[in-house]
């Protein structure tokens, strides 16, 4: 059984920063790629950033240069450092990862954390 727990969301003024965390726990053999997605009200869920097990990253054009994704494999934890936040970054942010357990490779999602950028 695998659990993903997100933290770090909140209310921030435009231009501010937040750091999101996503910690995986349970009977984990290995963690493959990990990623952050977001969903704003009335919009579809979209990719924000992903990182492979080898730390290769890719970003949505809208966040390039402002957001940084990273991971600590020893802690089974992924981070998203968000700088220069804009009102259009307001959304629920979800972590997603592919984890291998004794049952095989599975696709897992966190519960989501709200990020609100507003003055």
């Amino acid at each position: 059984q695998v659990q993903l727990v997100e933290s770090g969301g909140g209310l921030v003024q435009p231009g501010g920063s937040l750091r999101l965390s996503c910690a995986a726990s349970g009977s984990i053999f290995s963690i493959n790629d990990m990623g952050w997605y977001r969903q704003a009200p009335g919009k579809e869920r979209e990719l924000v950033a992903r990182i492979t097990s080898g730390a290769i990253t890719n970003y949505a054009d809208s966040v390039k240069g402002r957001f940084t994704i990273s991971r600590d494999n020893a802690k089974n934890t992924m981070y998203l450092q968000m700088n220069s936040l804009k009102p259009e970054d307001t959304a629920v942010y979800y972590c997603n990862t592919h984890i291998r357990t004794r049952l095989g490779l599975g696709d897992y999602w966190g519960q989501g954390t709200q990020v609100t950028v507003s003055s």
Side-chain angles (χ1 to χ4, degrees):
Q1 189 173 358
V2 171
Q3 194 173 25
L4 296 181
V5 178
E6 299 155 352
S7 60
L11 173 64
V12 64
Q13 292 186 342
S17 298
L18 283 174
R19 189 192 194 207
L20 306 183
S21 299
C22 173
S25 62
S27 300
I28 297 171
F29 286 1
S30 62
I31 300 178
N32 292 359
D33 57 312
M34 307 178 79
W36 289 97
Y37 291 75
R38 66 186 181 187
Q39 187 167 19
K43 295 187 176 182
E44 293 187 354
R45 190 172 297 188
E46 64 175 2
L47 171 70
V48 176
R50 289 201 72 85
I51 184 167
T52 69
S53 57
I56 297 172
T57 59
N58 70 287
Y59 296 90
D61 288 344
S62 59
V63 307
K64 282 181 180 177
R66 300 188 298 122
F67 291 11
T68 302
I69 189 171
S70 62
R71 61 191 286 172
D72 184 334
N73 292 330
K75 296 180 179 180
N76 289 340
T77 301
M78 171 180 63
Y79 306 96
L80 185 69
Q81 178 66 44
M82 304 185 294
N83 299 327
S84 302
L85 282 161
K86 305 175 180 179
E88 51 263 44
D89 294 318
T90 295
V92 178
Y93 284 69
Y94 298 90
C95 67
N96 168 255
T97 182
H98 298 118
I99 295 177
R100 186 171 298 280
T101 68
R102 63 178 180 84
L103 299 178
L105 189 63
D107 183 40
Y108 296 89
W109 289 87
Q111 81 284 0
T113 185
Q114 177 70 46
V115 171
T116 302
V117 184
S118 175
S119 55

